[in-house]
Amino acid sequence: MSIRNLDDLLAEGVSGRRVLVRADLNVPLDKQTGEITDDGRIRAVLPTLSALVSAGAKVVVCSHLGRPKGAPDPQFSLRPVAGRLGELLDAPVHFAEDTVGDSARSTVDALADGQVALLENLRFNKGETSKDDAERGAFADQLAAFGDAYVDDAFGAVHRKHASVYDVPARLPHVAGRLVLREVEVLSKLTGQPERPYVVVLGGSKVSDKLAVIEALLPTVDRLLIGGGMCFTFLKAQGHEVGTSLLEKEMVETCRNILERSEGKIMLPVDVVAATAFSPDADHDVFRADGIPSHRIGLDIGPETVAGFAAALSQAKTIFWNGPMGVFEMAPFAAGTRGVAEAITKADAFSVVGGGDSAAAVRALGLDESSFGHISTGGGASLEYLEGKTLPGIAALEK
């Protein structure tokens, strides 16, 4: 990867300089209390921020949170994140009430060496996500004015052609942060010459979301294990009844074609946990994958499937996992995700958890994060990297 990194910037000296850091602080918030329910993404950027603070930089952090419609929206404010970031850094984080307005300017201007400011949500500004180059560029000009150098440590956003990710690097000396560098190094192992057997586990709800990565991975993997809601479209393609389970009817023929071309690499569930309703309190039982009752909804893979997947994973030397095996947020339907995750930790393999819901599941289920080789912060970005797509944020850093 022909990208300068944080160590290059630190070697030049950053004391007294303003460094604009694009972080991915898009953390989940409790809808009732507004409290952060998973601070994993905040923790992920700490190595980069701590290094800059220790070196005496004036650190200006920017991020998005949620999907506001290009205007301020209190439910998507980064204020709770500023508080948590300050706790983790053990130093106050100065919060700007806007992104590029008067509050942002005065907050940045007041920074002393080694202090940190967090700007309000980037997506409160239409220019951040605009498809119009001029509108996006104008916003990038305003952001770039806050920095003498730029660090991208937001791997979860590098697949977006957004102002803070794509346009700002063209306006400032730029480097990759610790997190982005690590993510690309890890994922390049999977796209290069992974140690074999190479086993991939894919879950999540929709085949359509994972179709491109399935097509990209099929020629290179030794086994592809498919669970989650997406498995039911594959089971339908095999001619099985799937009841009221999640089904993409328009993808059935595509799945049938994939199975025909898979050369036996794909493993599908042989049993599922199916309930009478989408509810943690609904009656549920284990059924054979070819015997799901017409009035039942499949919400998890079954124990025999977990055992089969675990056996395949135990032989692996390289593992990539993206997507839960069931509705892990509901206790009765968490066993499949837990079983597969635990099997990955027991395997004598280099394992990568592909961000998104998989990373959330690891933390929600109380699993030891250090028992995985790497937990990505970017689900969509990691998938697009494995698909072989050009990621705008990475391309911008390479220039």
Side-chain angles (χ1 to χ4, degrees):
M1 185 174 65
S2 56
I3 296 177
R4 297 175 73 243
N5 62 54
L6 185 66
D7 289 334
D8 297 318
L9 180 63
L10 294 173
E12 295 169 1
V14 295
S15 180
R17 298 174 67 192
R18 297 171 307 159
V19 179
L20 181 65
V21 179
R22 175 53 160 105
D24 179 9
L25 306 177
N26 184 28
V27 294
L29 301 174
D30 185 283
K31 291 182 179 178
Q32 273 70 47
T33 65
E35 294 179 355
I36 297 166
T37 58
D38 180 356
D39 65 2
R41 283 177 170 164
I42 304 175
R43 291 177 180 276
V45 77
L46 292 179
T48 289
L49 297 184
S50 296
L52 289 167
V53 167
S54 297
K58 299 176 180 180
V59 185
V60 182
V61 184
C62 60
S63 176
H64 72 284
L65 191 154
R67 295 186 177 181
K69 306 298 184 183
D73 185 336
Q75 68 175 317
F76 296 117
S77 174
L78 280 167
R79 181 175 285 282
V81 175
R84 182 58 179 149
L85 182 57
E87 291 173 357
L88 293 171
L89 287 172
D90 195 24
V93 169
H94 304 273
F95 183 65
E97 301 287 347
D98 53 33
T99 313
V100 291
D102 292 342
S103 178
R105 283 190 290 273
S106 61
T107 301
V108 172
D109 288 345
L111 283 178
D113 296 359
Q115 290 189 333
V116 179
L118 175 62
L119 307 179
E120 184 56 285
N121 196 331
L122 289 163
R123 293 186 183 174
F124 285 179
N125 303 263
K126 290 182 179 179
E128 168 66 0
T129 59
S130 176
K131 290 182 169 54
D132 180 84
D133 290 348
E135 184 176 21
R136 212 175 53 246
F139 180 57
D141 287 339
Q142 293 176 290
L143 273 178
F146 293 143
D148 301 308
Y150 170 85
V151 179
D152 189 346
D153 216 26
F155 183 74
V158 294
H159 59 314
R160 305 295 188 193
K161 191 177 180 180
H162 290 170
S164 64
V165 174
Y166 182 76
D167 300 277
V168 171
R171 290 157 168 79
L172 291 172
H174 50 270
V175 301
R178 300 243 195 274
L179 174 63
V180 165
L181 190 66
R182 171 65 176 160
E183 294 271 16
V184 174
E185 286 175 345
V186 166
L187 292 172
S188 65
K189 288 185 180 181
L190 302 185
T191 56
Q193 297 292 328
E195 189 176 357
R196 297 186 178 280
Y198 176 22
V199 179
V200 171
V201 187
L202 291 181
S205 57
K206 294 182 178 181
V207 177
S208 53
D209 291 341
K210 304 287 172 71
L211 179 61
V213 78
I214 290 172
E215 294 284 9
L217 288 171
L218 261 184
T220 62
V221 303
D222 295 295
R223 302 304 296 268
L224 178 57
L225 319 181
I226 295 179
M230 62 188 288
C231 79
F232 296 104
T233 304
F234 279 97
L235 292 174
K236 189 70 172 180
Q238 290 183 321
H240 301 321
E241 168 67 57
V242 297
T244 59
S245 306
L246 189 63
L247 176 66
E248 289 184 280
K249 293 181 180 179
E250 70 281 4
M251 296 296 296
V252 171
E253 188 57 39
T254 300
C255 289
R256 187 177 294 118
N257 180 265
I258 290 171
L259 290 170
E260 290 172 354
R261 293 185 286 111
S262 69
E263 300 175 349
K265 292 181 178 180
I266 292 179
M267 288 182 66
L268 293 173
V270 294
D271 61 346
V272 302
V273 180
T276 53
F278 187 85
S279 166
D281 302 319
D283 289 338
H284 57 276
D285 284 296
V286 177
F287 297 90
R288 300 294 303 175
D290 59 0
I292 303 171
S294 60
H295 62 285
R296 293 266 182 161
I297 179 172
L299 297 177
D300 196 12
I301 59 174
E304 190 175 335
T305 301
V306 172
F309 283 10
L313 290 164
S314 70
Q315 303 299 312
K317 288 298 180 183
T318 304
I319 298 169
F320 176 74
W321 169 36
N322 179 277
M325 296 293 98
V327 187
F328 72 91
E329 299 90 344
M330 298 180 186
F333 314 113
T337 302
R338 178 183 292 280
V340 167
E342 290 177 344
I344 292 171
T345 66
K346 294 173 184 174
D348 181 19
F350 174 66
S351 59
V352 178
V353 180
D357 288 339
S358 309
V362 168
R363 290 187 279 269
L365 296 173
L367 302 171
D368 182 4
E369 294 183 48
S370 66
S371 58
F372 298 90
H374 178 71
I375 298 180
S376 177
T377 56
S382 62
L383 288 178
E384 290 195 16
Y385 190 97
L386 294 184
E387 290 167 23
K389 289 185 176 179
T390 297
L391 305 183
I394 300 300
L397 293 176
E398 289 178 328
K399 293 180 181 177

